[in-house]
Amino acid sequence: MTVELVGTAEHPPPTGEFATLYAQAQRFYAHQMRLLDTHDTGRWAETFTDDALLHLPSRPAPVRAHTALEDYARAGAARRRSAGGSLDHWVGLLDVRPQTDGSLHTRCSALAYATPGRGGPKALHVYVMEDVLVRSAGHWRIAHRRVTRDDLA
């Protein structure tokens, strides 16, 4: 049986260029979440543009730029360390949509799970992340991120 890949305007068939962009987006998220999980808050903040906006379900207003992002991540890291164990993230179901301006609009699910000092991991939250990735100094960076709880997305 032969399966033919047919694309639509919304979902074009895979091409070499698209496959490269998709792989770059996957690597970006693997790297970014690892920085967050290891509390490398400075380098995590650098994965955002200087004027980036980050909308979070727990905050009434978006968090702006590197300093605020780094402060936000550092406070979260301190809370996790004081609680013991670790908090890690898994990103999947990645959808990548290249835009005519060269940016990538992405949507993915992010699972936050805790690994306490004893026992196995426990899923805490599932989120939907919608990002606009742009090229900056040769790297993908987030210009805008909206995080929504999956049960409210």
Side-chain angles (χ1 to χ4, degrees):
M1 173 183 212
T2 303
V3 176
E4 182 179 335
L5 292 175
V6 178
T8 65
E10 188 170 279
H11 297 286
T15 64
E17 182 181 345
F18 178 78
T20 298
L21 289 172
Y22 192 88
Q24 289 174 359
Q26 284 183 314
R27 283 192 304 271
F28 172 83
Y29 287 108
H31 174 71
Q32 188 195 45
M33 290 298 113
R34 188 70 190 140
L35 292 173
L36 183 60
D37 293 343
T38 59
H39 315 298
D40 193 344
T41 56
R43 289 182 55 213
W44 181 77
E46 289 173 6
T47 65
F48 292 82
T49 62
D50 289 336
D51 59 350
L53 292 177
L54 174 61
H55 296 265
L56 299 165
S58 61
R59 298 186 65 125
V63 179
R64 294 183 177 270
H66 284 240
T67 302
L69 288 167
E70 192 172 343
D71 291 346
Y72 169 80
R74 186 177 294 116
R79 283 191 306 273
R80 287 192 296 272
R81 278 193 298 273
S82 68
S86 66
L87 178 68
D88 295 301
H89 296 80
W90 175 86
V91 173
L93 302 173
L94 177 61
D95 184 33
V96 177
R97 310 258 174 136
Q99 304 298 301
T100 56
D101 65 359
S103 68
L104 300 177
H105 288 196
T106 66
R107 187 176 199 273
C108 61
S109 293
L111 170 67
Y113 61 96
T115 305
R118 295 184 165 180
K122 176 184 176 187
L124 299 176
H125 306 285
V126 179
Y127 296 100
V128 173
M129 290 191 318
E130 296 174 290
D131 291 343
V132 175
L133 298 176
V134 296
R135 285 271 188 199
S136 174
H139 299 282
W140 288 110
R141 297 200 194 306
I142 294 173
H144 185 265
R145 170 172 281 172
R146 179 174 304 281
V147 179
T148 309
R149 281 190 10 211
D150 189 57
D151 60 327
L152 301 176

